[in-house]
Amino acid sequence: MKTKPYKQDTSPLGYAVGVTLDRFIKSNQADFPFATGELSQLLRDIALASKIVSREISRAGLGQVTGAFGQTNVQGEEQQKLDVVANIRFTRALTKGGEVCAVVSEEDDEVIDLQNKTGKYVVAIDPLDGSSNIDVNVSIGTIFSIYRRVTPMGSPIQPEDVLQKGCQQVAAGYVLYGSSTMLVFTTGNGVNGFTYEQSLGEFFLSHHDIQAPLTGQIFTINDGLTPGADPGIAGFLNACKQNGRTARYIGSLVADFHRNLLKGGIYLYPATVANPNGKIRLAYEANALAFIAEQAGGKATDGMQRILDIPPLSLHQRTPIFIGSVELVDELETYVNG
Ligand code: AHG
Ligand code: MN
Ligand code: MN
């Protein structure tokens, strides 16, 4: 039979839409630790749940979607309806997927044991980050960390399965529900970002091999909470102002982190009077972002040690965090007690 080689159509109508998340995962299978396919499937499960959550979020303001749920979580914070909805969506996707044996969620006081005898992975998740921004139509996110369980599969979940140091993560990521919805993740081999194309229902690779700028002009902190913080913080902030740097604070960690990751900057949440151990939770906020920051060439510390080296003692443990461009985090460290 007469054949001809495929030649990509380069006419304006034939432009490539790009690499889908699925194709990216398949063609980078070797980058996935213990590449047996389960981790890839787990990322797909998370991506699917994030599409559903993205849809629910886009309806915020209509119907009964916004507002308080009427209960507080284990940390005494008022749950928003979308906190609860997102928690259900992600937990359900992780349960049905079959790769996960346990989930640690901001919205659940205890570990959820999925009773899945073949699940190799433990997931820590902040289903909706920045909930105070839901009702005012400002960017929010989801943050997740993935660990391999350390005790034998099929046996009951043990504390050492869920209380692993951040450096044990096999993958981590976040979803940003912003002007578009983005999924950014690492499997320990660089950081890639995917933008959701709503009409096609697909994530497409849009930010290949993200590199955190070495330095930057942005400093991000809730300055209203700094009185009573380590005096080094005030010293650093003063230096930022003297150097003409610019302050940006959204109040959704994912959105603040993402902006600084792309543009160069530092995010600070120190120990404060209200939160003597800091506010950001180690298991499902700090560790994932620290892993991503380091994989992109950035840095994350609590002022004394690398976030990824902090030994977790409890599920909802908090930590001070200073994260972003290496040179800015180094400079901050010269001011605080570390
Ligand atoms: P969450 O909505 O998951 O509880 O997280 C809120 C966190 C984080 O997203 C944000 O950076 C920080 O709280 C804001 O805290 P302040 O309101 O104290 O600035
Ligand atoms: Mn959060
Ligand atoms: Mn949350």
Side-chain angles (χ1 to χ4, degrees), residues 106 126 128-131 143 253 280-281 284-285:
E106 177 190 352
D126 177 354
L128 245 204
D129 171 66
S131 14
I143 310 174
L253 175 59
I280 302 304
R281 279 62 55 102
Y284 41 80
E285 293 179 314

Side-chain angles (χ1 to χ4, degrees), residues 27-307:
S27 52
N28 292 278
Q29 191 68 39
D31 289 354
F32 286 73
F34 323 103
T36 50
E38 285 107 333
L39 182 56
S40 314
Q41 189 51 44
L42 173 45
L43 277 168
R44 290 190 192 98
D45 298 340
I46 291 175
L48 174 63
S50 75
K51 289 180 196 176
I52 299 170
V53 170
S54 179
R55 188 193 62 186
E56 318 263 20
I57 288 170
S58 68
R59 296 201 299 231
L62 296 172
Q64 310 290 312
V65 186
T66 53
F69 179 61
Q71 285 181 19
T72 52
N73 64 18
V74 66
Q75 295 149 83
E77 296 163 347
E78 187 176 56
Q79 288 180 307
Q80 302 298 301
K81 284 180 195 157
L82 275 173
D83 281 325
V84 178
V85 167
N87 194 34
I88 291 170
R89 294 297 184 199
F90 280 103
T91 312
R92 191 177 291 166
L94 296 172
T95 309
K96 302 269 181 224
E99 303 84 21
V100 179
C101 56
V103 178
V104 175
S105 166
E106 177 190 352
E107 305 305 337
D108 291 292
D109 42 355
E110 310 280 3
V111 179
I112 307 168
D113 185 339
L114 301 184
Q115 320 249 293
N116 173 10
K117 291 195 170 21
T118 55
K120 276 187 194 156
Y121 296 99
V122 171
V123 172
I125 190 160
D126 177 354
L128 245 204
D129 171 66
S131 14
S132 67
N133 281 325
I134 296 171
D135 291 1
V136 289
N137 212 346
V138 172
S139 298
I140 48 185
T142 294
I143 310 174
F144 61 91
S145 286
I146 303 174
Y147 296 86
R148 242 178 112 86
R149 72 172 295 173
V150 293
T151 57
M153 277 199 289
S155 59
I157 298 300
Q158 299 298 320
E160 57 266 38
D161 291 319
V162 292
L163 296 176
Q164 300 192 46
K165 284 185 184 175
C167 57
Q168 300 292 112
Q169 290 170 101
V170 291
Y174 59 82
V175 184
L176 172 60
Y177 312 99
S179 35
S180 61
T181 293
M182 271 195 81
L183 168 65
V184 176
F185 71 87
T186 181
T187 53
N189 220 326
V191 180
N192 290 285
F194 298 78
T195 300
Y196 183 48
E197 218 296 3
Q198 219 171 344
S199 62
L200 298 174
E202 290 272 17
F203 281 101
F204 285 91
L205 180 63
S206 53
H207 296 62
H208 181 244
D209 193 17
I210 296 173
Q211 298 292 327
L214 262 187
T215 189
Q217 289 303 308
I218 301 171
F219 62 104
T220 300
I221 187 166
N222 182 345
D223 205 12
L225 302 175
T226 52
D230 181 320
I233 301 295
F236 175 75
L237 295 181
N238 205 31
C240 287
K241 292 169 196 168
Q242 299 300 321
N243 290 326
R245 292 182 183 139
T246 191
R248 288 283 182 274
Y249 192 78
I250 296 169
S252 296
L253 175 59
V254 168
D256 279 312
F257 173 81
H258 181 73
R259 181 201 51 240
N260 292 4
L261 178 70
L262 297 187
K263 293 194 164 185
I266 180 170
Y267 175 96
L268 308 91
Y269 210 115
T272 63
V273 173
N275 289 296
N277 298 316
K279 181 179 182 191
I280 302 304
R281 279 62 55 102
L282 182 62
Y284 41 80
E285 293 179 314
N287 274 336
L289 301 186
F291 188 22
I292 291 166
E294 289 196 6
Q295 282 292 317
K299 184 169 174 175
T301 169
D302 69 353
M304 310 228 258
Q305 63 180 329
R306 192 174 165 232
I307 292 287

